[in-house]
Amino acid sequence: AASRASVLTKRDETVQRFDRCDPDALPAVEREASSHWEPEFAERVIFARALSGGEVEVRLEGWNTEWGLAASALAAMQKGDLESAIALVTKLERRHPAAFSGQFARARLEELRGNSAEARGFARKVLDRYPSFGPGHEVLVRAEARQLDFDAMRASLSGLKAVAPEHPYLTLS
């Protein structure tokens, strides 16, 4: 039997390669979690669900991992509750300063707040560590477009194409 650490590592890799345009992405994460529903496993699935726009509870307390905090922050952003999103991202960064999920949540938060330069910087941090993370590429492309840096945007679209060849953003020029 695989060790708990190796199962968690495999789950992390699946989430870090997440392509929300792939209809099989969320079911793949959920399938991997089917036999492990302790918080460390379940909250990764909740994060993937939040990435795909699924329903996730917004709550400030009760999360056991960075994944749950990030999922709740993303859900708050989807609902337009920036006050809760800011509180959750701040808590996430204090508890887990180097967490991949926290850097992505900060990138999304800064994007929603109109801080394209900050969003771009956090998206790059995520992609430096996890170059196959489709949602990170999405944030980067949008931030570069908002900054009217079309050369950088085209380069980022190439990165997105490598991980999500059917992504709708690839129709941008």
Side-chain angles (χ1 to χ4, degrees), residues 7 28 67 79 83-84 108 146 155 169:
V7 172
W67 300 101
K79 293 175 176 158
E83 186 174 316
S84 292
R108 282 289 295 131
R146 286 189 180 108
Y169 284 9

Side-chain angles (χ1 to χ4, degrees), residues 15-37:
V15 173
Q16 291 156 356
R17 287 189 316 271
F18 196 83
D19 173 7
R20 65 185 191 90
C21 294
D22 178 354
D24 296 324
L26 182 57
V29 173
E30 290 172 335
R31 220 175 9 262
E32 284 184 16
S34 63
S35 62
H36 302 283
W37 278 102

Side-chain angles (χ1 to χ4, degrees), residues 123-139:
R124 283 196 173 137
K125 283 182 183 182
V126 168
L127 294 171
D128 285 347
R129 289 175 58 196
Y130 306 102
S132 296
F133 186 60
H137 287 281
E138 293 172 13
V139 171

Side-chain angles (χ1 to χ4, degrees), residues 20-137:
R20 65 185 191 90
C21 294
D22 178 354
D24 296 324
L26 182 57
V29 173
E30 290 172 335
R31 220 175 9 262
E32 284 184 16
S34 63
S35 62
H36 302 283
W37 278 102
E38 320 74 89
E40 292 80 10
F41 293 93
E43 290 182 16
R44 285 164 171 80
V45 175
I46 293 167
F47 179 74
R49 191 172 297 136
L51 289 174
S52 63
E55 189 64 29
V56 173
E57 181 182 2
V58 176
R59 63 179 197 224
L60 300 177
E61 299 298 329
W63 297 108
N64 294 291
T65 69
E66 67 270 17
W67 300 101
L69 281 168
S72 193
L74 293 173
M77 291 177 221
Q78 290 168 2
K79 293 175 176 158
D81 183 358
L82 289 183
E83 186 174 316
S84 292
I86 291 167
L88 286 158
V89 170
T90 301
K91 181 181 285 192
L92 176 56
E93 290 171 332
R94 284 186 185 138
R95 288 187 184 170
H96 310 282
F100 148 80
S101 58
Q103 291 174 339
F104 178 72
R106 174 58 73 178
R108 282 289 295 131
L109 179 61
E110 294 306 329
E111 178 185 23
L112 290 174
R113 294 172 72 191
N115 299 328
S116 296
E118 291 291 317
R120 192 175 179 178
F122 279 99
R124 283 196 173 137
K125 283 182 183 182
V126 168
L127 294 171
D128 285 347
R129 289 175 58 196
Y130 306 102
S132 296
F133 186 60
H137 287 281

